Amino acid sequence: EDQVTQSPEALRLQEGESSSLNCSYTVSGLRGLFWYRQDPGKGPEFLFTLYSAGEEKEKERLKATLTKKESFLHITAPKPEDSATYLCAVQAGQGAQKLVFGQGTRLTINP
Amino acid sequence: EAEVAQSPRYKITEKSQAVAFWCDPISGHATLYWYRQILGQGPELLVQFQDESVVDDSQLPKDRFSAERLKGVDSTLKIQPAELGDSAMYLCASSLGLYSYEQYFGPGTRLTVT
């Protein structure tokens, strides 16, 4: 069974304090790994898709990386508006299209 | 910018009542998904459509839940009768196609069953 585990569950940083969020996965045949941002009471907002180990993608203060067993979401010099829950999901297996999500990391950036 | 539309945004209902949610995907997106998200957890797939056909409904509680996408565009998810444990956020998402395409989510419907 495909499994996705995110850590930590919650992270509190000061503005400008860089850090990383982790997403570990156990799947059979990874087709893609997805990162989403979710604000309270709203639907997830697409950030990145990573397809193969070694791949990296960047968007503003966020950078996502992928290895064969995990993905990291690095946040550099975060601002209070980066506060949100960050969700990791995998799409895996032959003929499978559904996303299997982790439980998310709740990130709070204090000014 | 094209978005997935959902209504209502909030719904409060009593247990044993029927409730329905509506979703309009991004224009041109053939694949539509309904997810359920319990507070503090990630979304879980309930049902997936390719055009008007169901591709995956293995996690849909079929004794009380039903979903349709009659013309392959918008979709309705129904719960009858609602139970206390159905309180959650119901999210609709759409994508261009089936394989390795980004899924774009709507704002969700927050359901509270009393």
Side-chain angles (χ1 to χ4, degrees):
Chain A
E1 183 179 331
D2 300 335
Q3 286 193 328
V4 179
T5 303
Q6 292 188 245
S7 62
E9 288 189 9
L11 180 62
R12 190 177 293 267
L13 301 172
Q14 289 299 121
E15 185 173 359
E17 181 184 0
S18 301
S19 187
S20 295
L21 313 182
N22 177 265
C23 171
S24 298
Y25 60 90
T26 305
V27 299
S28 179
L30 181 72
R31 301 173 70 92
L33 185 141
F34 301 79
W35 282 98
Y36 286 84
R37 168 191 170 128
Q38 187 172 29
D39 292 306
K42 297 188 178 181
E45 174 189 348
F46 171 75
L47 292 174
F48 304 109
T49 308
L50 301 167
Y51 294 104
S52 57
E55 189 174 0
E56 299 182 351
K57 288 195 177 171
E58 289 188 62
K59 179 179 181 180
E60 295 181 355
R61 296 176 291 281
L62 299 176
K63 178 179 169 181
T65 62
L66 182 65
T67 73
K68 289 186 178 180
K69 293 185 177 181
E70 57 192 348
S71 177
F72 292 94
L73 184 66
H74 307 278
I75 182 161
T76 302
K79 299 181 178 182
E81 54 261 42
D82 295 320
S83 297
T85 295
Y86 290 86
L87 295 164
C88 169
V90 296
Q91 193 178 53
Q94 194 70 15
Q97 304 93 37
K98 72 176 183 182
L99 294 179
V100 176
F101 281 86
Q103 80 279 17
T105 293
R106 189 170 65 254
L107 177 65
T108 303
I109 308 299
N110 295 317
Chain B
E1 184 175 313
E3 295 181 341
V4 176
Q6 289 188 249
S7 67
R9 291 295 312 279
Y10 305 93
K11 181 70 177 179
I12 300 174
T13 191
E14 294 182 348
K15 63 179 181 179
S16 80
Q17 295 299 303
V19 63
F21 314 128
W22 176 81
C23 172
D24 191 12
I26 293 172
S27 179
H29 281 197
T31 311
L32 184 147
Y33 312 79
W34 283 101
Y35 288 85
R36 178 169 60 185
Q37 185 176 26
I38 296 170
L39 196 62
Q41 298 183 20
E44 291 185 319
L45 182 72
L46 291 173
V47 62
Q48 177 187 338
F49 291 90
Q50 177 65 17
D51 298 313
E52 67 276 6
S53 301
V54 173
V55 174
D56 183 355
D57 64 355
S58 58
Q59 300 303 309
L60 188 71
K62 298 181 188 64
D63 57 336
R64 297 185 301 108
F65 286 63
S66 64
E68 61 183 15
R69 194 184 183 197
L70 293 177
K71 296 183 179 180
V73 180
D74 59 338
S75 175
T76 302
L77 178 69
K78 297 179 181 177
I79 308 174
Q80 183 174 14
E83 296 181 353
L84 295 176
D86 296 332
S87 294
M89 175 79 89
Y90 289 82
L91 294 162
C92 180
S94 69
S95 66
L96 275 172
L98 289 177
Y99 298 103
S100 299
Y101 284 108
E102 292 82 7
Q103 295 181 22
Y104 295 91
F105 284 81
T109 296
R110 168 70 66 188
L111 174 66
T112 302
V113 182
T114 62

